[in-house]
Amino acid sequence: MARSGWWAGGWGLVVGLLLTAGVAEARELAGVRVPDSLTLEGRRVSLAHMELKEKLFFKVYIWSLYLEQVSPKQSEVVSANCVKRLQFRFLRDVRRDQLVEAFREGLASNPALRNTPLRDHLEQLLASLRDVPEGGELVLTYVPGGGLHVSGEASHGLTIPGKPFADALFVSWLETHPIFSR
């Protein structure tokens, strides 16, 4: 009888540890859980940052940055030819015109995006955007040799070839949302 009590207690401990281990594999912010790592194109990327974006007192989205090669310097993160992902989970409905305006405003300070062909790529990205429902996502993934893949409910889907546009996008985002030393 004592053995069965020990067995039940031991089993409870094992189940508790397994559940705790599962929780450690994801992070949560404002009710949104994101995994600590993903496999993209056969490569493992790690969650480098996660943040809530609010406008006035409204929660708008959670953004996550995944990197194949984590570095303490923004310039190294951008220049590395490795898989990178910016992922946005919207906490409210957002209209297409609001997304386009936010992108234009956020990217306006980057001189590289004012000249062709990068300006043309920006216009392609903006044209791919659409209304996004609460809980929907916009996913921007750079894959070496494959370019920038735009996906999720907030986009019709698009691939922009090459690395220069992806670099300009990540530079603009990381300058606006500094999380690394320079």
Side-chain angles (χ1 to χ4, degrees), residues 37-52:
S37 64
L38 302 169
T39 301
L40 304 171
E41 301 291 319
R43 299 176 185 199
R44 183 183 168 105
V45 294
S46 299
L47 181 63
H49 189 76
M50 179 179 180
E51 190 172 309
L52 171 65

Side-chain angles (χ1 to χ4, degrees), residues 43-182:
R43 299 176 185 199
R44 183 183 168 105
V45 294
S46 299
L47 181 63
H49 189 76
M50 179 179 180
E51 190 172 309
L52 171 65
K53 168 65 174 168
E54 294 179 298
K55 187 153 186 164
L56 299 174
F57 55 87
F58 295 105
K59 296 176 182 174
V60 181
Y61 59 80
I62 299 289
W63 69 274
S64 307
L65 174 65
Y66 286 90
L67 300 169
E68 183 179 7
Q69 296 174 3
V70 179
S71 168
K73 295 201 176 279
Q74 174 186 314
S75 59
E76 292 172 3
V77 166
V78 172
S79 67
N81 195 26
C82 62
V83 177
K84 302 170 190 124
R85 172 177 275 186
L86 272 173
Q87 187 164 329
F88 303 86
R89 170 84 53 85
F90 291 87
L91 304 175
R92 59 186 317 103
D93 295 342
V94 178
R95 294 185 324 267
R96 179 189 183 281
D97 64 303
Q98 292 172 312
L99 278 176
V100 169
E101 180 184 338
F103 264 90
R104 285 195 191 282
E105 186 179 297
L107 300 174
S109 65
N110 188 330
L113 294 172
R114 293 187 201 128
N115 302 313
T116 54
L118 296 187
R119 185 183 68 227
D120 295 339
H121 291 320
L122 175 59
E123 292 306 317
Q124 290 174 332
L125 171 65
L126 297 177
S128 83
L129 298 178
R130 58 185 178 186
D131 293 346
V132 59
E134 180 180 338
E137 292 188 337
L138 177 62
V139 182
L140 307 168
T141 306
Y142 171 72
V143 177
L148 184 73
H149 302 285
V150 182
S151 61
E153 294 85 358
S155 173
H156 294 289
L158 173 71
T159 297
I160 298 173
K163 190 171 183 294
F165 180 74
D167 284 355
L169 188 73
F170 278 94
V171 162
S172 294
W173 184 261
L174 294 173
E175 283 181 355
T176 306
H177 304 87
I179 59 174
F180 299 101
S181 61
R182 291 185 186 238

